[in-house]
Amino acid sequence: MRFKNIIYVAILVLTTVITSWSIPALVKKIVYESNGYPLMYYSSRLKELCIIDFREMNDAFRDVKGNVYPRSQYDSLLPLMNYRQLAMNGNLPDSLEGYAMDVKVLRSKQVVYRFRPSDVYSPQPKMGVLLEAMPKRGSLSLPGDYFRMNDNEMVFVNAETNSVNDAKSKMFTDELLKKGFEFPAKAFWGNPTVRKAYEEGYFCLDNKGELFHVKMVNGRPFVKNTGVSKQVDVKWFVMREVSDKRFYGYLFGQNGELGIVESNDDGGYRFIKMDVRPVDITKDDITIMGNLLYWTVRIYNSESMDCYGLKTSTLESLTTYHQEKEIGTWDKVANFVFPVILSPSSPDNGYINCYVLHFSASAWILSVILALLVFVFMRKRLALQKNLIVSAVVALTGITGVIAFILLPKNRFE
């Protein structure tokens, strides 16, 4: 009898887990309505953030002050975003704020980047590819080996023979130690592809939290302590070899700082912090759209969005916009009906697992009522022990627990 109870509970729990995912997913498809955040861009003409939302046909293009503009003015009010279209139509202005509107320059100054929390949750490669930064034939090519950071050395491994290149490993390890690098490395970030204009190697975080720049120049190691750890406690880095070579990549600090690492006049490095709110890389999506004069930075999550218009040269904030997430029909239903929603996938993680996507204390009022009803109606048809188990499951999971109980085999009442 005890074994049967164990099987009964196992089937009930498994069925409840499945219904806690499938039933909310089905209801969401029925009642879901789009309530995402609009695209935003800082207008060099209006000197204000503009909202671009072509889901709203009447107010598709407007500024944050509420002024609505016709679709015909869309390109001309955002010339640094739509310069290609303006150039094709012959409407690209000759200059803007004292800068000549040259298509090649505008293209090189464009910055487009999106950060997702899944970038952090995804496993990071244990090996990297260090390309030659000054190739003799002008184009990047794979070196034929890979490197890994061991506890006390940088090791290069031949890709074909899987053998260690001792000479190259010693050469880079000695240079790292000479420049003050302390093993083991906490992390290293690069962009291991030949589909880019140039190579800047890797940024490596050593055991002391110092950020080092490592690359290969004419077959020799180039290692330099960036010194940016004196300005910010490094948490994450994203290598971006941008067209104009202004900066190396985006840096995230332990205290929510977001900024770029760029070269200074004496060949060193400096961290320029973006004038935005602190970011949480485990929950915030970040979209950066930059041009010759201004950057637009959107930081958003499931609760709200903050958008900033920044000056390109200093990344100082010129204007800000805040928008709370609209509560749609699905949100109201979920908060009232489902105390817990499970799912094998997560919007912040690309891997299969059992995730809790929703947790609502208010929905437990309905769950407790359902649990009491189940206990009362099943007290004569179900053994007391099983009745208590079913009632407890329903109290925890609500209507999905009731459906799971109904789906049990016909002999569930025995």
Side-chain angles (χ1 to χ4, degrees), residues 397-412:
T397 59
I399 193 170
T400 56
V402 174
I403 296 174
F405 173 62
I406 295 174
L407 293 176
L408 286 177
K410 294 181 179 180
N411 64 349
R412 62 187 180 276

Side-chain angles (χ1 to χ4, degrees), residues 128-171:
V129 183
L130 200 60
L131 308 181
E132 171 59 53
M134 296 184 66
K136 295 181 180 180
R137 300 188 64 85
S139 59
L140 299 176
S141 59
L142 293 173
D145 57 24
Y146 301 84
F147 75 86
R148 63 173 181 261
M149 288 291 191
N150 285 357
D151 291 340
N152 54 8
E153 61 179 335
M154 184 177 186
V155 179
F156 286 84
V157 181
N158 187 283
E160 292 186 0
T161 63
N162 202 32
S163 59
V164 174
N165 187 330
D166 293 319
K168 189 174 183 180
S169 301
K170 185 178 185 306
M171 180 171 59

Side-chain angles (χ1 to χ4, degrees), residues 258-281:
L258 168 62
I260 61 174
V261 176
E262 67 175 17
S263 299
N264 54 27
D265 296 334
D266 59 1
Y269 305 79
R270 64 186 172 197
F271 171 69
I272 299 183
K273 182 182 179 298
M274 297 184 193
D275 190 7
V276 300
R277 71 163 175 83
V279 300
D280 183 351
I281 61 176

Side-chain angles (χ1 to χ4, degrees), residues 1 21 45 57 64 72 119 248 257 261 282 284 296 300 324 341 381:
M1 184 63 183
W21 161 60
R45 291 293 194 189
M57 299 307 296
V64 294
S72 58
D119 297 341
Y248 298 102
E257 302 94 338
V261 176
T282 63
D284 289 332
T296 304
Y300 53 99
E324 295 289 332
I341 297 178
R381 304 184 63 184

Side-chain angles (χ1 to χ4, degrees), residues 41 197 211 238 328:
Y41 203 83
L211 190 66
V238 178

Side-chain angles (χ1 to χ4, degrees), residues 259-364:
I260 61 174
V261 176
E262 67 175 17
S263 299
N264 54 27
D265 296 334
D266 59 1
Y269 305 79
R270 64 186 172 197
F271 171 69
I272 299 183
K273 182 182 179 298
M274 297 184 193
D275 190 7
V276 300
R277 71 163 175 83
V279 300
D280 183 351
I281 61 176
T282 63
K283 60 180 288 189
D284 289 332
D285 278 71
I286 303 169
T287 301
I288 299 174
M289 301 178 69
N291 55 53
L292 178 65
L293 301 176
Y294 306 103
W295 279 25
T296 304
V297 180
R298 288 196 309 155
I299 306 172
Y300 53 99
N301 50 45
S302 59
E303 300 172 357
S304 63
M305 174 190 72
D306 291 284
C307 190
Y308 302 84
L310 308 180
K311 190 176 181 180
T312 296
S313 57
T314 61
L315 300 184
E316 295 175 338
S317 178
L318 302 173
T319 183
T320 64
Y321 176 77
H322 178 80
Q323 178 179 321
E324 295 289 332
K325 185 69 174 289
E326 296 181 6
I327 300 177
T329 305
W330 160 246
D331 299 306
K332 296 176 182 177
V333 171
N335 287 330
F336 179 73
V337 177
F338 303 113
V340 176
I341 297 178
L342 304 179
S343 175
S345 61
S346 168
D348 297 333
N349 196 321
Y351 293 85
I352 300 298
N353 207 330
C354 185
Y355 300 99
V356 179
L357 299 186
H358 171 82
F359 183 88
S360 173
S362 59
W364 258 307

